[in-house]
Amino acid sequence: MLSYLIRRILLVLPVAFGVSVICFLLVQIAPGDPLTAIMAIDATAEEQAAMRAAYGLDKPLPIQYAIWIGNLVQGDMGKSIATGRPVAAEVFGAVKNSLLLAVSAAVIAFPIGIFLGFLAGYFRDTWIDRAVTALSITGVSVPNYWLGIVLVIIFSVNLSWLPSMGAGPGGSQSWAWDWAHIRHLVLPAVTLAVVPIGIVSRTVRALAGDILSQDFVDALYAKGMSRADVLRHVARNAAATALSVMGLQLGYLLGGSILIETVFNWPGSGFLLSNAIFQRDLPLLQGTILILALFFVAMNLIVDVVQAAIDPRIQRT
Amino acid sequence: MTKLLEMKNLNVRFKGKRTVHAINDVSLSMDQGETLALLGESGSGKSVTLKTLLGLLPPKRSQIDGSIHVNGVDIMSLRGRALQRYRGGEVSMVFQEPALALDPVYTIGHQIAESVMRHKGVDKANAMSTALDMLDRVRIPSANRRLHNYPHELSGGMRQRVMIALALACRPRLLLADEPTTALDATVQIQILLLLRELQKEFGMGVIFVTHDIGVAVEISERVAVMYAGQIIEEGTTHEIIRDARHPYTQGLLAANLHDVARGERLSAIPGAPPALEARPDSCPFAPRCPVAMPECRADLPPMLAPGDRRRVACLRAAQPIAAE
């Protein structure tokens, strides 16, 4: 197991390198000059050149990449062009908020998805199965930003139960587990949870249905196991695949919540990313994409390792 | 002494998009410690009979009539705890495909111990030592190490040995073996057959051995019941069936065997296929394939004749002597 772990972690290095190259190049390919946004319109050619030199933008691309990556490993991700603040601080603050939102959505979505999926798989081809299927397909198909707006209209505008935007009285920088903050989390987290509920319940339904139709389920009943025992066996069989789907979903929740964060003005990475795009804030854009991508890589690593740990059929040596 | 098994007029019908009359009026009885081979083609109702015996048929889609008593207990009325005690305790089953019948994510030791814990009420450590003892008894080499293996780490023959150990761990009075050698290599098949025969003597339990291979049936059992289209069409001791088969279908099965066939000669086979059973047979189901069918055979169900003690045959022709081929 340990050698598998080490080998799997070493495999991450080339992937991380590839990710960093793509992050760097993507931003270079994008049209537009990042400096036009912050420079005076009547800046002279000399002033422009000086500014370019100050940000290192006059050097050839490989050199720029080497400088960027060199600083990166020292924890320096450069300064935001728009605000002048260190990118690292901006990104980590935002990622922390996004993670809070993503984990909350996952905490709502995964148990509900697993429960519904199991129910549908167990009662396959009954009205329960059809109801769950209809629900999960609706959940996956409804655009979640639209759902977010509808929820805001119902719960914030009409009923005035929950706030519609922001992360609470502490703003983007401080979070506390009290009602004043949590009530801001409810609507975005619920909205974000709808898609993974659908995906997880579809996955678990397919897994449970498939496993329940296997011979060993009959064999378990034949040796006198109770229904609860059998369901325990089914859960253990489904766990590896279900966990990997959920791990990837958590990755999507973190990186894919741009629209939801925009709808609810949630100060997370998606919000930061959309601002960085509109302001052509190159270092901030690179930093945010890189951190989100690396998080995804890390999620994959964790999923693989957990899967190998709980499923004996996966080669561990 | 109480009969080990007393099955009377069992009928099983599957409902769904189309109805299937899987078992039609099957009666069977077995003495303690008796070995019975249930012989028939695919779809003749052998496996359904076994599943009915363990109450494993899906209750919503199957309609079961008739009565089954095992050691005097009416098993159709068993529910909940009592049913769980009966399954695996009184009667247990060896499945056709050991690779599919074992849970892939639990060790084999755990899977045997789980059953022992349930039926004997012992703790995990005791159950594991029973599991170890059982692996020894089914002649698995270095059983101590194998106990912690997962099913996929064993060969097919080893897996079937594990399945047998699992089925016998709680000392059942009746063992159901559903084509336990079909999925195995020929050499391994013989080993498993011999093992089952030895264990049957050692433990003294009754065995119902389902097979489509008449050679296997002869090898393992004292009695043979031949099934066709969800009915038992002939029953007798193994000796009687081989020497004096009365039903044309049984004769056909015997003739289709490889023994005594000259090289290059065409193997004899029974032409046609078994009926689809969408309706309950109201005439002899074998008549369309039968070489000696008479008009009367297509008119009504043949009577069940009893040419001897515990000897049965459902054929009009069996009443009159049949010309040897």
Side-chain angles (χ1 to χ4, degrees), chain A residues 19-29 34 55 57 61 64-65 67-69 72 77-79 81 87 91 272-273 276-277 280-294:
Chain A
V19 164
S20 72
V21 170
I22 291 170
C23 282
F24 180 79
L25 287 181
L26 266 184
V27 177
Q28 303 295 331
I29 293 165
Y55 280 98
L57 294 174
L61 278 184
Q64 282 190 45
Y65 174 76
I67 294 172
W68 181 62
I69 209 88
L72 201 65
M77 301 171 76
K79 281 192 171 60
I81 292 178
V87 169
V91 172
L272 189 69
L273 205 56
I277 292 167
R280 303 207 174 287
D281 196 335
L282 250 168
L284 188 58
L285 201 53
Q286 281 172 334
T288 314
I289 296 174
L290 183 74
I291 294 301
L292 289 180
L294 288 182

Side-chain angles (χ1 to χ4, degrees), chain A residues 72-231:
Chain A
L72 201 65
V73 293
Q74 296 167 42
D76 177 13
M77 301 171 76
K79 281 192 171 60
S80 161
I81 292 178
T83 64
R85 284 206 294 265
V87 169
E90 295 254 355
V91 172
F92 283 114
V95 165
K96 220 170 66 190
N97 286 333
S98 279
L99 207 56
L100 176 71
L101 182 57
V103 170
S104 305
V107 166
I108 297 170
F110 294 168
I112 295 178
I114 292 169
F115 176 73
L116 289 180
F118 230 93
L119 213 60
Y122 192 81
F123 296 104
R124 200 155 204 175
D125 298 326
T126 63
W127 66 269
I128 297 175
D129 181 18
R130 279 187 283 273
V132 170
T133 302
L135 204 69
S136 50
I137 289 179
T138 312
V140 175
S141 317
V142 165
N144 58 7
Y145 58 89
W146 174 83
L147 185 70
I149 294 167
V150 170
L151 289 181
V152 165
I153 292 173
I154 298 173
F155 292 100
S156 307
V157 179
N158 291 343
L159 295 171
S160 306
W161 287 355
L162 295 163
S164 64
M165 51 179 12
S172 63
Q173 294 312 312
S174 72
W175 173 263
W177 286 104
D178 54 24
W179 180 236
H181 287 84
I182 293 173
R183 60 201 293 268
H184 283 265
L185 184 60
V186 175
L187 281 184
V190 167
T191 310
L192 203 54
V194 169
V195 170
I197 285 178
I199 289 172
V200 170
S201 69
R202 292 302 289 164
T203 308
V204 172
R205 172 192 179 269
L207 281 170
D210 181 44
I211 294 166
L212 279 168
S213 67
Q214 286 181 27
D215 277 7
F216 78 77
V217 172
D218 266 356
L220 284 172
Y221 281 120
K223 69 178 184 184
M225 296 290 113
S226 66
R227 191 178 309 211
D229 292 325
V230 172
L231 290 183

Side-chain angles (χ1 to χ4, degrees), chain A residues 216 218 223-224 229 233 237, chain B residues 51 103 111 114 118-119:
Chain A
F216 78 77
D218 266 356
K223 69 178 184 184
D229 292 325
H233 276 262
N237 270 273
Chain B
K51 285 197 165 178
D103 186 331
Q111 295 189 54
E114 191 176 42
R118 162 131 319 220
H119 292 288

Side-chain angles (χ1 to χ4, degrees), chain A residues 123 126 214-227 229 232-234 236-237 310-314 316, chain B residues 51 54 56 84 87-88 91-93 95 97 100-106 110-111 114-115 118-119 150 152 163 166:
Chain A
F123 296 104
T126 63
Q214 286 181 27
D215 277 7
F216 78 77
V217 172
D218 266 356
L220 284 172
Y221 281 120
K223 69 178 184 184
M225 296 290 113
S226 66
R227 191 178 309 211
D229 292 325
R232 209 183 60 235
H233 276 262
V234 172
R236 174 89 178 258
N237 270 273
I310 61 176
D311 193 330
R313 286 165 297 184
I314 293 171
R316 274 177 281 194
Chain B
K51 285 197 165 178
L54 275 176
L56 286 178
Q84 285 166 27
R87 288 169 171 168
V91 175
S92 65
M93 183 147 161
F95 287 76
E97 278 270 12
L100 303 177
L102 292 165
D103 186 331
V105 301
Y106 285 87
H110 180 100
Q111 295 189 54
E114 191 176 42
S115 177
R118 162 131 319 220
H119 292 288
Y150 290 94
H152 71 272
M163 202 66 230
L166 171 57

